[in-house]
Amino acid sequence: MTTHGDVLFVLDPLSTIDAHRDSSYLMIAEAQRRGFQVWSVELGGLLLRGADALAYATPISVPRLGQPVVVRGPSEVRELASFRVVLMRKDPPVDAHFIVATWALDRAAQRTLVVNTPQGLRDLSEKLAILEFPQFIPRSFLLRTVGDLRDALHELGGQMILKPVYGYGGREVLIAREGDPNLSTLFELATRDGTTWTIAQAFVPAAKDGDKRILLVDGEPIGAVMRVPASGELRNNFHAGGSPAATVLSARDLQICAAVGPFLRSRGQFFVGLDVLGEYLTEINVTSPTGMQEINRLENLTDDATMQAKFWAALVTKLG
């Protein structure tokens, strides 16, 4: 299984990489298992010299699965083209710094493989890309005024979910109900007094049972996990206290994957997490989706059956 070459991960600080929760951790460990030399860089370590993309790259390793990532040598300034693949695994938010980083990665993508493709990371809003598939999604709006939100609430039967366009990890997700005395305040908060857009989406009763995170590699599903909300909690994200539960892909899930997979592949989005709530596709996560660790544990996966092994097997094939 030995494969020689260097790979670069664009990450948050190494101290934030959780050995027991993060998919990036497993990707690093599996790259190492396959014989790659693994390097990392934070966003601030990316730079351009003319048209050449470089990084202050730090060599890293996982001493043993379950132990923290460690630095194994000093940083070096290296051209991104010197790596066989660059993996963009910086967590949201997708802010100005993230966008500038994708411009730097655009330059690298002309000379080496960058996963996920930088242009796709910019173009595909994780909350709005679902609009490409209206047959699979709950009724959704992008709105900015209190009046429009009131109209949407009435149209949606008096109950709806509000999500910030750039939200992540379940942050600032709200439920709006007609008759709530705090409704005007809630709308003002969601739109920051009419200065920004919010996403209004039909409430799906199946939310009480949690949603399903489906992992896709090169457009094909490799595994799934249910995210069950804590008692009394609206959000089911793991970062918001949701707990993992075993699941299988339904006929509807497979139908969604069959439609969304080719679209993502055409946009260069190699590793993606779909969120499915009941019968509905609610998000397409392209930045740094997680879920590998939970699926491995729930299904007792080992060796080549793990999520990270399936990821790297497909990626090695792509590298040729």
Side-chain angles (χ1 to χ4, degrees):
M1 181 175 286
T2 300
T3 304
H4 298 291
D6 290 0
V7 299
L8 178 69
F9 284 80
V10 183
L11 297 168
D12 287 297
L14 293 179
S15 61
T16 69
I17 305 300
D18 192 323
H20 303 286
R21 294 181 61 184
D22 289 339
S23 293
S24 293
Y25 176 87
L26 292 182
M27 292 177 179
I28 292 166
E30 180 66 14
Q32 183 178 298
R33 185 174 83 96
R34 289 172 178 267
F36 288 102
Q37 297 296 309
V38 187
W39 300 67
S40 73
V41 65
E42 296 178 28
L43 288 195
L46 297 173
L47 62 151
L48 297 175
R49 289 180 179 165
D52 296 326
L54 298 94
Y56 285 93
T58 302
I60 61 173
S61 67
V62 173
R64 184 178 299 172
L65 205 60
Q67 294 183 349
V69 179
V70 299
V71 173
R72 56 181 175 82
S75 298
E76 301 176 16
V77 178
R78 291 185 53 173
E79 289 194 4
L80 268 60
S82 69
F83 297 94
R84 290 195 68 192
V85 59
V86 177
L87 296 104
M88 177 54 155
R89 291 288 300 172
K90 171 68 178 72
D91 282 344
V94 177
D95 55 14
H97 301 293
F98 189 100
I99 297 299
V100 171
T102 66
W103 289 333
L105 293 173
D106 275 336
R107 307 308 310 176
Q110 298 185 24
R111 298 175 59 193
T112 193
L113 179 64
V114 178
V115 172
N116 287 330
T117 300
Q119 183 175 347
L121 291 175
R122 289 193 301 272
D123 290 350
L124 299 181
S125 160
E126 299 194 324
K127 302 293 191 298
L128 296 175
I130 62 170
L131 298 177
E132 294 284 340
F133 308 96
Q135 70 273 34
F136 295 120
I137 68 173
R139 188 91 169 92
S140 302
F141 302 80
L142 179 67
L143 303 172
R144 187 160 172 159
T145 71
V146 169
D148 285 341
L149 285 168
R150 288 190 179 279
D151 290 344
L153 183 60
H154 180 72
E155 183 175 336
L156 293 174
Q159 188 169 230
M160 67 184 183
I161 296 294
L162 298 176
K163 301 179 182 179
V165 177
Y166 292 108
Y168 60 98
R171 293 169 174 83
E172 298 180 51
V173 174
L174 304 167
I175 186 166
R177 295 187 178 96
E178 282 185 347
D180 185 338
N182 294 310
L183 193 59
S184 293
T185 300
L186 186 149
F187 287 158
E188 290 163 2
L189 288 170
T191 63
R192 290 175 170 76
D193 292 316
T195 63
T196 190
W197 288 274
T198 190
I199 295 166
Q201 200 166 72
F203 178 78
V204 178
K208 64 178 174 34
D209 301 317
D211 73 349
K212 190 177 296 184
R213 165 59 58 87
I214 304 173
L215 298 182
L216 272 62
V217 168
D218 206 18
E220 300 293 334
I222 64 166
V225 58
M226 284 297 294
R227 303 185 299 179
V228 181
S231 178
E233 173 62 66
L234 170 68
R235 305 164 299 170
N236 39 47
N237 308 71
F238 293 140
H239 290 298
S243 58
T247 190
V248 295
L249 295 179
S250 68
R252 173 72 166 186
D253 297 332
L254 293 172
Q255 189 180 16
I256 290 171
C257 292
V260 179
F263 168 78
L264 294 170
R265 194 182 303 115
S266 72
R267 297 299 188 95
Q269 301 308 285
F270 184 80
F271 185 60
V272 177
L274 304 184
D275 292 343
V276 176
L277 187 59
E279 296 287 298
Y280 297 100
L281 174 67
T282 58
E283 290 191 19
I284 298 176
N285 297 276
V286 298
T287 49
S288 61
T290 190
M292 282 186 171
Q293 301 243 18
E294 292 80 7
I295 296 170
N296 286 349
R297 283 193 287 269
L298 288 166
E299 300 187 13
N300 296 312
L301 302 179
T302 59
D303 302 324
D304 290 343
T306 62
M307 294 295 97
Q308 66 269 25
K310 290 181 178 181
F311 169 86
W312 271 104
L315 186 51
V316 167
T317 298
K318 197 173 186 69
L319 289 170

